[in-house]
DNA sequence: CTGTTAGCGCCTTCAA
DNA sequence: TTGAAGGCGCTAACAG
């Protein structure tokens, strides 16, 4: 037995297919309550569901948004996918998620797939590996890039969503200064992206403002094995960074890591060096992924308001204002157990 | 400008639409190489992509499998989704993932949505909350349930994929016995599901075999706040379990947790009690989620071969043998830093 | 308020 | 080897 169709429902309810269609699309004013009831019952009885493909072919749009992430095995992006799903559900819209594994060819491929599905828009949490392609896509449907900031008017068609990266590192520095730290590092892979540059700038500015010592500890990612699935690379990088941090000539008493994954790595590396956190050394991450709280001691971090950001991204697609734009969210300092006054 | 259609390609290539269709569906024997080339070029030039909705409406099937998980924010299920995506890609098939948040009503809803998309099959990592519904679904398309074992022939239509749960706990006990432990607990929420029962049985049998002391420490989940998104509950539960474990009359020297999330919680709880792992106490988890390796010390655990399991699930759907079945995978002992000889 | 009708883009015979 | 034609299930005019 195959799926019931709109005709079957119409026959059972004793009305025409168009009334069923009206009913399904909430045009209740076009029929008598009695008709509504009959339709309702017929649908129930047959277990009828409209065929998405047919509907989509007719209307030209799918109730679907596309999401690109480097990998769902990375907990941050799993959480993002979850947040996007929740946000889209408010519009009765589904989400199709693809992992790109940071492969530009796959990214292009996957975008084309998404277009073939007639998605209403695309959210990408995968870096702007291929801005030209993204820009071309944005002609067809709204494109929202996560955690990306535009340098100029190059990408006039793309909207972006991110936290205020400079503020995040400034807040981290201020928190540490407030605790009494006078020598702080920012641990990061080479700051090639605009985001990381912004974090580095925020850091430097705050250091200068406070009139204290501070520098970047840049970790070469070629040191660590590449892991396209789980993105565990930053963890490994962080762990290996610990020694480099402690060897810095200006003897930092605290570190800010570019994100939580790296911070957790630094934390583990420090422990192996016999450095006690937060007694001997303070540590701050960025993101507030779940395992920040499960780390020991629980990681102080700057939280990204991920649900709010997902909501904003989805709104840009499903309730567009017309013009693309950039939305910047404030990070929130979550003080936990890895920060304390130096030597305490 | 709207998407190019098969007609446009045909016109540009100077052939008929059906040749394009033949080309797209790899029926090359039906045309001259020269024609192939022309078609190839025309497709390239227009950036043509067949419209999924139209194709699906015509053929009745979508190249799509559905995946249900409690929440993608839970790292285990993010990793599962990633593995399923990789497995499905080999069949040129896409994955549509839904989070159920362990809400039976939402689970039913989402399954119906999936059916409306004409998915080729459904994989569920969400517990069999509603077996009747699943069973009914299995009439329409293959259904594969993850981490579920059937008690009897009730669910004749559903296939299952899981590790050998009894063996997992047995292996854990044997590893600990080998290290010299003589008193071991299994920490678990009430073993209501068949899986947990199997783990408890495997534990008890191995304890009896070894002729040592062992018991279950059952943690009431009402103690911890519910977290439908991230499933952090087991972590909190594990942390609070530490005291209960240490207070057990038979003075265990090691614990096996029902999964890694709980094990990590126990590890943190122990540290707060001043119990040093593995010197004072040994700890084993199950799953091998990414953060098992990032825990400090790195968690000894029984790994689920998640990619192999995902491959098997996808194969059941996209290359079905016809009859549903159960596939059981062997867990793999990953010895890391949380297990040692007692008192060492 | 309800029924009729003409496609949406593609695939698949069938005939040429 | 290619072209023509019908229809997948649904929607949205438009006519009654």
């Amino acid at each position: 037995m195959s799926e019931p169709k709109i005709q079957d429902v119409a026959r059972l309810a004793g009305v025409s297919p168009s009334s069923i269609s009206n009913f399904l699309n909430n045009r209740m004013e076009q029929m008598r309550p009695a008709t509504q009831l009959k339709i309702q019952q017929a649908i129930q009885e047959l277990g009828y569901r409209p065929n998405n493909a047919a509907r989509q072919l007719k209307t030209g749009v799918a109730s679907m948004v596309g999401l690109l992430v480097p990998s769902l095995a990375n907990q941050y992006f799993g959480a993002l996918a979850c947040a996007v799903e929740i946000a889209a559900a408010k519009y009765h819209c589904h989400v199709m998620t693809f992992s790109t594994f940071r492969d530009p060819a796959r990214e292009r491929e996957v975008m084309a797939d998404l277009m073939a599905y007639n998605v209403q828009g695309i959210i990408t949490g995968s870096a702007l590996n291929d801005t030209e392609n993204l820009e071309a896509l944005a002609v067809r449907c709204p494109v929202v890039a996560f955690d990306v900031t535009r340098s100029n008017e190059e990408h006039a068609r793309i909207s972006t969503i991110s936290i205020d990266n400079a503020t995040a590192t400034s807040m981290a520095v201020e928190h540490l200064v407030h605790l009494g730290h006078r020598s702080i590092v920012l641990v990061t892979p080479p700051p090639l992206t605009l985001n990381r540059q912004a974090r580095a700038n925020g850091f430097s500015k705050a250091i200068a403002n406070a009139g204290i010592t501070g520098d970047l500890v840049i970790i070469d990612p070629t040191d660590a094995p590449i892991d396209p699935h789980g993105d565990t690379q930053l963890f490994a990088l962080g762990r290996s960074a610990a020694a480099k941090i402690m060897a810095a000539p200006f003897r930092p008493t605290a570190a800010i890591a570019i994100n939580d994954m790296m911070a957790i790595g630094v934390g583990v590396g420090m422990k192996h060096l016999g450095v006690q956190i937060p007694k001997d050394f303070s540590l701050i991450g960025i993101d507030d992924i779940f395992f920040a709280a499960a780390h020991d001691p629980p990681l102080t971090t700057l939280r990204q308001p991920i649900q709010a950001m997902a909501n904003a991204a989805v709104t840009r697609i499903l309730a567009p204002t017309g013009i693309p734009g950039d939305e910047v969210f404030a990070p929130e300092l979550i003080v936990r157990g890895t920060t304390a006054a130096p030597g305490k």
Side-chain angles (χ1 to χ4, degrees), chain A:
Chain A
M1 92 230 205
S2 75
E3 300 288 329
K5 9 201 121 170
I6 207 168
Q7 298 275 7
D8 301 323
V9 182
R11 205 173 314 121
L12 181 61
V15 300
S16 81
S18 64
S19 289
I20 311 292
S21 176
N22 285 334
F23 179 89
L24 292 172
N25 294 286
N26 262 312
R27 285 185 284 267
M28 299 308 182
E29 66 286 359
Q30 309 219 13
M31 72 196 79
R32 215 179 346 222
T35 308
Q36 270 181 50
L37 200 65
K38 278 191 298 185
I39 294 177
Q40 170 76 55
Q41 286 170 342
I43 288 178
Q44 197 92 67
E45 192 172 329
L46 265 49
Y48 170 77
R49 291 237 122 199
N51 177 319
N52 277 326
R55 170 177 275 180
Q56 176 182 333
L57 181 58
K58 180 67 189 173
T59 60
V61 295
S63 285
M64 198 147 84
V65 304
L67 174 64
L68 261 59
V69 296
S71 166
L72 283 173
N74 179 317
Q75 205 264 330
Y76 175 81
F77 292 108
L80 175 59
C82 192
V84 169
E85 185 180 350
I86 291 170
K90 288 184 193 132
Y91 294 89
H92 304 288
C93 192
H94 299 150
V95 182
M96 186 124 194
T97 306
F98 285 94
S99 299
T100 65
F101 304 119
R102 301 193 193 282
D103 172 352
R106 188 178 155 80
E107 190 171 309
R108 258 193 310 275
E109 175 59 29
V110 144
M111 292 229 170
D113 285 342
L114 244 19
M115 294 307 296
Y117 277 109
N118 274 308
V119 293
Q120 297 193 251
I122 293 179
I123 300 172
T124 174
S126 200
L128 231 47
N129 281 333
D130 187 340
T131 56
E132 265 185 54
N133 183 43
L134 253 197
E135 186 69 12
L137 229 57
V139 178
R140 317 294 213 161
C141 67
V143 171
V144 181
F146 243 79
D147 196 27
V148 159
T149 42
R150 92 183 64 239
S151 53
N152 49 44
E153 295 309 312
E154 257 178 66
H155 308 300
R157 293 205 167 86
I158 301 165
S159 294
T160 72
I161 306 269
S162 69
I163 56 165
D164 185 333
N165 287 294
T167 297
T169 40
S170 298
M171 286 171 77
V173 169
E174 280 156 24
H175 171 58
L176 291 169
V177 168
H178 186 72
L179 287 169
H181 292 268
R182 315 292 301 161
S183 182
I184 305 171
V185 294
L186 176 69
V187 191
T188 177
L192 300 175
T193 66
L194 288 172
N195 279 310
R196 286 181 181 162
Q197 278 164 29
R199 289 182 192 184
N201 290 343
F203 172 80
S204 303
K205 227 171 257 175
I207 291 288
N209 268 357
I212 62 169
T213 308
D215 206 351
L216 268 52
V217 169
I218 294 172
I219 306 298
D220 186 349
T222 57
D223 291 358
I226 295 174
D227 167 31
H229 291 195
D231 281 347
T232 60
Q233 205 190 17
L234 284 177
F235 169 76
L237 241 36
R239 192 165 48 186
S240 68
K244 200 163 169 186
I245 294 168
M246 296 314 282
F250 48 93
R251 308 206 143 254
T253 59
I256 301 163
I258 202 77
N259 70 15
D260 284 352
M261 197 72 104
M262 185 160 227
I264 291 172
V266 171
V268 170
M270 286 295 178
K271 197 153 330 177
H272 286 196
L273 257 39
V275 178
Q276 286 185 42
I277 290 178
K279 188 170 156 288
D280 303 334
F281 197 86
S282 285
L283 183 61
I284 304 189
I286 298 177
D287 282 351
D288 195 27
I289 59 177
F290 164 66
F291 282 92
H295 187 67
D296 185 70
L299 185 70
T300 294
T301 191
L302 284 138
R303 174 182 295 170
Q304 299 207 29
I306 202 164
Q307 186 63 60
M309 293 165 83
N311 291 345
V314 166
T315 299
R316 287 228 164 246
I317 287 170
L318 298 177
T321 57
I323 46 169
D326 303 310
E327 282 181 76
V328 176
F329 288 76
E332 182 190 357
L333 177 67
I334 307 291
V335 178
R336 287 199 274 244
T338 55
T339 48
K344 280 287 280 286

